[in-house]
Amino acid sequence: MKLISISFLFKLLILQYLSIQCLSEEFDFFYFVQQWPGAYCDTKQSCCYPKTGKPAADFSIHGLWPNYNDGSWPSNCDPDSTFDKSQISDLMKNMEKNWPSLSCPSSNGFRFWSHEWEKHGTCAESELDQREYFETALKLKEKVNLLQILKNAEIEPNDEFYSIENISEAIKEATGFTPGLECNRDSARNSQIYQVYMCVDTSGSSFIECPLLPRSRCGDQVQFPKF
């Protein structure tokens, strides 16, 4: 009986250890992802403006995503850590402006932010708690004004087509790092600039060169749609 008890206790300790390891998921870097609302809305699925109204014509945050150097990523790492809006109550105005939801039906953003925290943020709890996670993403956006960077390079959201190479070079010249670029297609099958990926160290404080970039699926010439 004593041997059985010791064996059971040992197994229990192993399970607790594995559980702790899972909750403090290690990762190699973040993708900080910003999206262009004009491209999001100019597709067959369309979009719905937030309840606060039409967002500004600017890149907005999609997410801050932990990733591994081999191209895989953790997700939904802590089912017990649910989104708590009281944690970000003083960030709300900033969130509504810089991290709006464009999905339908129209919403106040809580569903979007909850998804981002529970799928991605919980996998960074070894570095950032819930408030720090959202605050870090907002600070990163302040550091990189993508729209101004592109305008400085005479790349404007005017429905015109631009070289994907020129877009990448403009961002690299301004930030010092090569971005990942993702495109989508509008109903006319035009390739449009949709999302920009920048890589960030695990503390969330500094941009770094990407260990690997997402597949772009962009044409040589891409449209920068109006919003």
Side-chain angles (χ1 to χ4, degrees), residues 71-116:
S72 63
W73 59 88
S75 66
N76 301 98
C77 295
D78 185 359
D80 294 325
S81 182
T82 56
F83 175 69
D84 178 4
K85 63 182 180 182
S86 69
Q87 296 285 321
I88 58 167
S89 56
D90 62 321
L91 302 177
M92 204 67 71
K93 289 295 182 186
N94 200 347
M95 295 278 289
E96 289 171 352
K97 177 184 177 183
N98 293 299
W99 204 331
S101 171
L102 290 169
S103 64
C104 295
S106 179
S107 70
N108 53 19
F110 294 148
R111 184 175 66 248
F112 181 30
W113 303 331
S114 176
H115 168 80
E116 290 301 311

Side-chain angles (χ1 to χ4, degrees), residues 7-32:
S7 176
F8 176 76
L9 181 60
F10 179 73
K11 289 177 180 178
L12 185 62
L13 288 171
I14 291 292
L15 286 172
Q16 287 179 327
Y17 172 77
L18 290 174
S19 175
I20 291 170
Q21 287 296 102
C22 181
L23 292 181
S24 59
E25 187 84 43
E26 295 299 324
F27 59 100
D28 297 315
F29 67 97
F30 284 110
Y31 276 136
F32 175 58

Side-chain angles (χ1 to χ4, degrees), residues 4 21 37 52 60-61 78 85 101 132 152 168 173 223:
I4 293 174
Q21 287 296 102
T52 51
S60 61
I61 299 169
D78 185 359
K85 63 182 180 182
S101 171
E132 290 169 340
N152 290 345
S168 179
E173 185 175 331
Q223 188 182 44

Side-chain angles (χ1 to χ4, degrees), residues 185-222:
R185 292 190 179 275
D186 65 9
S187 55
R189 304 299 295 164
N190 292 315
S191 182
Q192 300 181 318
I193 187 67
Y194 170 42
Q195 297 199 127
V196 177
Y197 292 66
M198 300 294 292
C199 291
V200 183
D201 67 7
T202 55
S203 71
S205 59
S206 300
F207 288 103
I208 60 172
E209 197 63 47
C210 285
L212 74 166
L213 294 171
R215 295 177 65 181
S216 70
R217 288 173 284 191
C218 296
D220 292 337
Q221 296 285 319
V222 297

